[in-house]
Amino acid sequence: MPGRLIEWIDQRFPLSSFVKHELTGYPTPYNLSYWWNFGFLAGFVLMLQVATGIFLAMHYKADVALSFDSIQHIMRDVNYGWLLRYMHATGASAFFFVIFIHMARTLYYGSYRAPRELLWWTGQGLLLLLMATAFMGYLLPWGQMSFWGATVITNLFRATPFIGDQVVIWLRGDYTVGDATLTRFFALHYLFPFLIIGAVIVHLVALHKVKSSNPSGIDLAHKDNIPFHPYFTIKDLYGLGLFLMLYSVFVFFLPDSLIEPANNIPANPMQTPNHIVPEWYFLPFYAILRSVPNMVGGVLAMGLSVMMFAFMPFLDRSRIPGGAHFRPIYRLQFYLFLLDMLVLGYVGYTPPTDQTLLIGEVATLYYFGSFFFIPFVSKLEERWLIARGLPPEVISLMESEARALKKQNRKHGRRREEDQA
Amino acid sequence: MMDKARIQVLSDNDRRKFLIRLTSVVGAGGVAAACVPFVASMNPSSDVLAKSLTEVDLSSITLGAMLTVAWQGKPVFILHRTPEQIKSAESSNGGIDPELDSARVKHAEWLVVVGVCTHMGCVPNQEGPGWICHCHGSEYDHSGRVIRGPAPKNLEVPPYHFVTADKITIGLA
């Protein structure tokens, strides 16, 4: 009976062929490490956030007079409300944790390089959507940190030329962050996850066109691939188990470690807390904002610092495959960049003093410098590595890659000539 | 004959292109017009706009004391300045954003400023030389002028006027 049912569907809808092509039979490089688990984990956390969020929305009230109390209502009165809320609040941190590792893997192994530029850029778009969603969600509990975080961030739009003040008022729907702001943030916080799901589908369509990269940097598209199922479904599930252990530690034992104590005080527009800190995942970017003495410059620097990743396909000019794996200098740059992010995070967390300001300025310069110098460093490094002598398998790989590229260009050229004729 | 037909075909094509362009422009104009109400709906509503006037009785503010009132949801500092504070405020013209004290007050003993740091919108605390913003360390003097960054501008003086000697209306000059 199920066989006949599937046959009936297949005659009307490409169910079996879709599942075979995109899931069970999807060709995947056999040598993927556990660093390739994080895309799946991000998808899982997205589903977790949507599920917990929808059920929280059934009890939450988006009104300045009611929202703070409705969170207490969820925590105390709603059945398992505390669990839903802690899962959702911890899930936001987990989402960024997973995405940052996902991005770091892409940077380490050079997965952003041709032909995966569009895959990388759709990911960049997803990062922006995720940041916007997290920011708007943070206002909803209507605590002091919620209020002042939203105040500071919406104030950034004052940097808009000529109409900055009007833009800020338009965004808030009021002269300050108020009821109008809260209601619209709730509406958009509910909407954006669905935009993210749409963008994830685009991300996956791009992935399934170019296929996964792999630690060797060698294009395995036509050899040494194994089907996604069962090899990687099981690997992803194993990774999920490990992830859920860490996630559960936070949900059940340390839920408040990710919530600022000041957010347990209802929002008060007349009193700013003495120390405003954003959530940990925004700290490095916040530090960059504070490190530029000019307000407009700071806003631009912060925006640019998030967008810098998108330039990587242009900045990295090395032809050595395998990302940092075969490239010692790039590997060093990668680790120094991670260290710089941690320093910026620390600077963003501490109250501004002359000393932390100086550290922040140096770290900000290093942040942008490490991007701007990649074109030169990567070219020099390539020359040095070739002069030193590459392993023969890497040379043959680079040659086969160049041949494939040439062939592709010829084919495109011919097609263009045919079109013109 | 052949030429005439060719010309006919060409001008038909041109006309079609022109019509497609014209229709696209009109269509895009319609879409843009349809967006207006949606965008405008996000601007402050009438009841928010109605909060734009605040009346304050000054008689209860003793010399040297400060009252914080809400105007448009923002805190407004009303400082009853002592003669020393007036003197020190008048003796300088601020720092980063130079401005005369006399240009910032209507009566020297009453300073009325919006209590929102011009940097990132935090509310400064009354301490030190006047006010200190704890978000990023900006300092303001007793005229609300910024004397230490990162704030780029002095505290804003809202439009206000004296209704009687001890009553002001904020929101209308």
Side-chain angles (χ1 to χ4, degrees), chain A residues 113 316-321 378-379 382 386 398 401-402:
Chain A
R113 294 163 63 179
D316 185 1
R317 291 169 61 215
S318 176
R319 285 170 301 147
I320 314 271
S378 62
K379 211 67 202 168
E382 182 196 274
I386 290 171
M398 286 172 66
E401 206 172 22

PDB file of all heavy atoms in Angstrom, chain A residues 113 316-321 378-379 382 386 398 401-402:
ATOM      1  N   ARG A 113      35.567  30.335  -1.721  1.00  0.00           N
ATOM      2  CA  ARG A 113      36.194  30.569  -3.028  1.00  0.00           C
ATOM      3  C   ARG A 113      35.382  29.960  -4.156  1.00  0.00           C
ATOM      4  O   ARG A 113      34.507  29.120  -3.941  1.00  0.00           O
ATOM      5  CB  ARG A 113      37.600  29.992  -3.000  1.00  0.00           C
ATOM      6  CG  ARG A 113      38.480  30.742  -2.020  1.00  0.00           C
ATOM      7  CD  ARG A 113      39.699  29.978  -1.662  1.00  0.00           C
ATOM      8  NE  ARG A 113      40.526  29.788  -2.856  1.00  0.00           N
ATOM      9  CZ  ARG A 113      41.694  29.152  -2.824  1.00  0.00           C
ATOM     10  NH1 ARG A 113      42.143  28.669  -1.709  1.00  0.00           N
ATOM     11  NH2 ARG A 113      42.396  29.022  -3.919  1.00  0.00           N
ATOM     12  N   ASP A 316      40.955  37.144  -1.224  1.00  0.00           N
ATOM     13  CA  ASP A 316      41.871  36.011  -1.190  1.00  0.00           C
ATOM     14  C   ASP A 316      42.303  35.683  -2.624  1.00  0.00           C
ATOM     15  O   ASP A 316      41.528  35.157  -3.409  1.00  0.00           O
ATOM     16  CB  ASP A 316      41.170  34.814  -0.541  1.00  0.00           C
ATOM     17  CG  ASP A 316      42.111  33.645  -0.381  1.00  0.00           C
ATOM     18  OD1 ASP A 316      43.297  33.775  -0.751  1.00  0.00           O
ATOM     19  OD2 ASP A 316      41.644  32.596   0.120  1.00  0.00           O
ATOM     20  N   ARG A 317      43.559  35.990  -2.970  1.00  0.00           N
ATOM     21  CA  ARG A 317      43.986  35.797  -4.357  1.00  0.00           C
ATOM     22  C   ARG A 317      44.901  34.593  -4.516  1.00  0.00           C
ATOM     23  O   ARG A 317      45.480  34.396  -5.584  1.00  0.00           O
ATOM     24  CB  ARG A 317      44.667  37.077  -4.840  1.00  0.00           C
ATOM     25  CG  ARG A 317      43.645  38.232  -4.974  1.00  0.00           C
ATOM     26  CD  ARG A 317      44.324  39.549  -5.188  1.00  0.00           C
ATOM     27  NE  ARG A 317      45.114  39.569  -6.415  1.00  0.00           N
ATOM     28  CZ  ARG A 317      46.269  40.236  -6.558  1.00  0.00           C
ATOM     29  NH1 ARG A 317      46.748  40.913  -5.569  1.00  0.00           N
ATOM     30  NH2 ARG A 317      46.915  40.202  -7.694  1.00  0.00           N
ATOM     31  N   SER A 318      45.051  33.828  -3.464  1.00  0.00           N
ATOM     32  CA  SER A 318      45.911  32.649  -3.563  1.00  0.00           C
ATOM     33  C   SER A 318      45.207  31.545  -4.348  1.00  0.00           C
ATOM     34  O   SER A 318      43.994  31.373  -4.223  1.00  0.00           O
ATOM     35  CB  SER A 318      46.259  32.149  -2.167  1.00  0.00           C
ATOM     36  OG  SER A 318      47.007  30.978  -2.253  1.00  0.00           O
ATOM     37  N   ARG A 319      45.991  30.796  -5.164  1.00  0.00           N
ATOM     38  CA  ARG A 319      45.396  29.681  -5.896  1.00  0.00           C
ATOM     39  C   ARG A 319      45.676  28.347  -5.227  1.00  0.00           C
ATOM     40  O   ARG A 319      45.310  27.298  -5.723  1.00  0.00           O
ATOM     41  CB  ARG A 319      45.938  29.649  -7.334  1.00  0.00           C
ATOM     42  CG  ARG A 319      45.340  30.737  -8.221  1.00  0.00           C
ATOM     43  CD  ARG A 319      46.103  30.786  -9.518  1.00  0.00           C
ATOM     44  NE  ARG A 319      47.528  31.067  -9.259  1.00  0.00           N
ATOM     45  CZ  ARG A 319      48.542  30.593 -10.004  1.00  0.00           C
ATOM     46  NH1 ARG A 319      48.295  29.813 -11.023  1.00  0.00           N
ATOM     47  NH2 ARG A 319      49.781  30.914  -9.708  1.00  0.00           N
ATOM     48  N   ILE A 320      46.350  28.383  -4.084  1.00  0.00           N
ATOM     49  CA  ILE A 320      46.637  27.141  -3.364  1.00  0.00           C
ATOM     50  C   ILE A 320      45.331  26.606  -2.789  1.00  0.00           C
ATOM     51  O   ILE A 320      44.642  27.321  -2.060  1.00  0.00           O
ATOM     52  CB  ILE A 320      47.620  27.390  -2.204  1.00  0.00           C
ATOM     53  CG1 ILE A 320      48.787  28.247  -2.626  1.00  0.00           C
ATOM     54  CG2 ILE A 320      48.038  26.095  -1.544  1.00  0.00           C
ATOM     55  CD1 ILE A 320      49.975  27.547  -3.179  1.00  0.00           C
ATOM     56  N   PRO A 321      44.975  25.380  -3.123  1.00  0.00           N
ATOM     57  CA  PRO A 321      43.700  24.859  -2.612  1.00  0.00           C
ATOM     58  C   PRO A 321      43.785  24.515  -1.125  1.00  0.00           C
ATOM     59  O   PRO A 321      44.872  24.431  -0.556  1.00  0.00           O
ATOM     60  CB  PRO A 321      43.476  23.610  -3.463  1.00  0.00           C
ATOM     61  CG  PRO A 321      44.838  23.191  -3.883  1.00  0.00           C
ATOM     62  CD  PRO A 321      45.674  24.428  -3.977  1.00  0.00           C
ATOM     63  N   SER A 378      48.202  37.051   0.569  1.00  0.00           N
ATOM     64  CA  SER A 378      47.876  35.770  -0.052  1.00  0.00           C
ATOM     65  C   SER A 378      48.714  35.553  -1.311  1.00  0.00           C
ATOM     66  O   SER A 378      49.151  34.445  -1.597  1.00  0.00           O
ATOM     67  CB  SER A 378      46.375  35.688  -0.369  1.00  0.00           C
ATOM     68  OG  SER A 378      46.004  36.680  -1.286  1.00  0.00           O
ATOM     69  N   LYS A 379      48.970  36.634  -2.067  1.00  0.00           N
ATOM     70  CA  LYS A 379      49.773  36.511  -3.295  1.00  0.00           C
ATOM     71  C   LYS A 379      51.235  36.204  -2.940  1.00  0.00           C
ATOM     72  O   LYS A 379      51.856  35.331  -3.552  1.00  0.00           O
ATOM     73  CB  LYS A 379      49.664  37.828  -4.079  1.00  0.00           C
ATOM     74  CG  LYS A 379      49.768  37.681  -5.586  1.00  0.00           C
ATOM     75  CD  LYS A 379      48.571  36.939  -6.151  1.00  0.00           C
ATOM     76  CE  LYS A 379      48.959  36.338  -7.496  1.00  0.00           C
ATOM     77  NZ  LYS A 379      47.987  35.387  -7.992  1.00  0.00           N
ATOM     78  N   GLU A 382      51.574  32.714  -1.718  1.00  0.00           N
ATOM     79  CA  GLU A 382      51.510  31.744  -2.814  1.00  0.00           C
ATOM     80  C   GLU A 382      52.868  31.621  -3.497  1.00  0.00           C
ATOM     81  O   GLU A 382      53.373  30.523  -3.731  1.00  0.00           O
ATOM     82  CB  GLU A 382      50.445  32.194  -3.819  1.00  0.00           C
ATOM     83  CG  GLU A 382      50.250  31.242  -4.964  1.00  0.00           C
ATOM     84  CD  GLU A 382      49.498  31.884  -6.109  1.00  0.00           C
ATOM     85  OE1 GLU A 382      48.265  31.861  -6.077  1.00  0.00           O
ATOM     86  OE2 GLU A 382      50.156  32.425  -7.012  1.00  0.00           O
ATOM     87  N   ILE A 386      55.225  28.303  -3.557  1.00  0.00           N
ATOM     88  CA  ILE A 386      55.613  27.655  -4.811  1.00  0.00           C
ATOM     89  C   ILE A 386      57.139  27.580  -4.896  1.00  0.00           C
ATOM     90  O   ILE A 386      57.701  26.558  -5.296  1.00  0.00           O
ATOM     91  CB  ILE A 386      55.012  28.409  -6.018  1.00  0.00           C
ATOM     92  CG1 ILE A 386      53.492  28.181  -6.034  1.00  0.00           C
ATOM     93  CG2 ILE A 386      55.646  27.936  -7.313  1.00  0.00           C
ATOM     94  CD1 ILE A 386      52.752  29.019  -7.022  1.00  0.00           C
ATOM     95  N   MET A 398      46.288  21.925  -8.648  1.00  0.00           N
ATOM     96  CA  MET A 398      46.181  23.289  -9.166  1.00  0.00           C
ATOM     97  C   MET A 398      46.133  23.277 -10.680  1.00  0.00           C
ATOM     98  O   MET A 398      45.399  24.033 -11.297  1.00  0.00           O
ATOM     99  CB  MET A 398      47.370  24.128  -8.680  1.00  0.00           C
ATOM    100  CG  MET A 398      47.262  24.494  -7.209  1.00  0.00           C
ATOM    101  SD  MET A 398      48.753  25.255  -6.595  1.00  0.00           S
ATOM    102  CE  MET A 398      48.758  26.783  -7.523  1.00  0.00           C
ATOM    103  N   GLU A 401      42.780  22.119 -11.817  1.00  0.00           N
ATOM    104  CA  GLU A 401      41.802  23.184 -11.560  1.00  0.00           C
ATOM    105  C   GLU A 401      41.896  24.240 -12.664  1.00  0.00           C
ATOM    106  O   GLU A 401      40.887  24.700 -13.196  1.00  0.00           O
ATOM    107  CB  GLU A 401      42.083  23.807 -10.190  1.00  0.00           C
ATOM    108  CG  GLU A 401      40.866  24.434  -9.545  1.00  0.00           C
ATOM    109  CD  GLU A 401      41.151  24.874  -8.113  1.00  0.00           C
ATOM    110  OE1 GLU A 401      42.338  25.083  -7.787  1.00  0.00           O
ATOM    111  OE2 GLU A 401      40.189  25.024  -7.348  1.00  0.00           O
ATOM    112  N   ALA A 402      43.143  24.633 -13.002  1.00  0.00           N
ATOM    113  CA  ALA A 402      43.335  25.635 -14.041  1.00  0.00           C
ATOM    114  C   ALA A 402      42.809  25.132 -15.376  1.00  0.00           C
ATOM    115  O   ALA A 402      42.174  25.872 -16.133  1.00  0.00           O
ATOM    116  CB  ALA A 402      44.819  25.987 -14.161  1.00  0.00           C
TER     117      ALA A 402
END
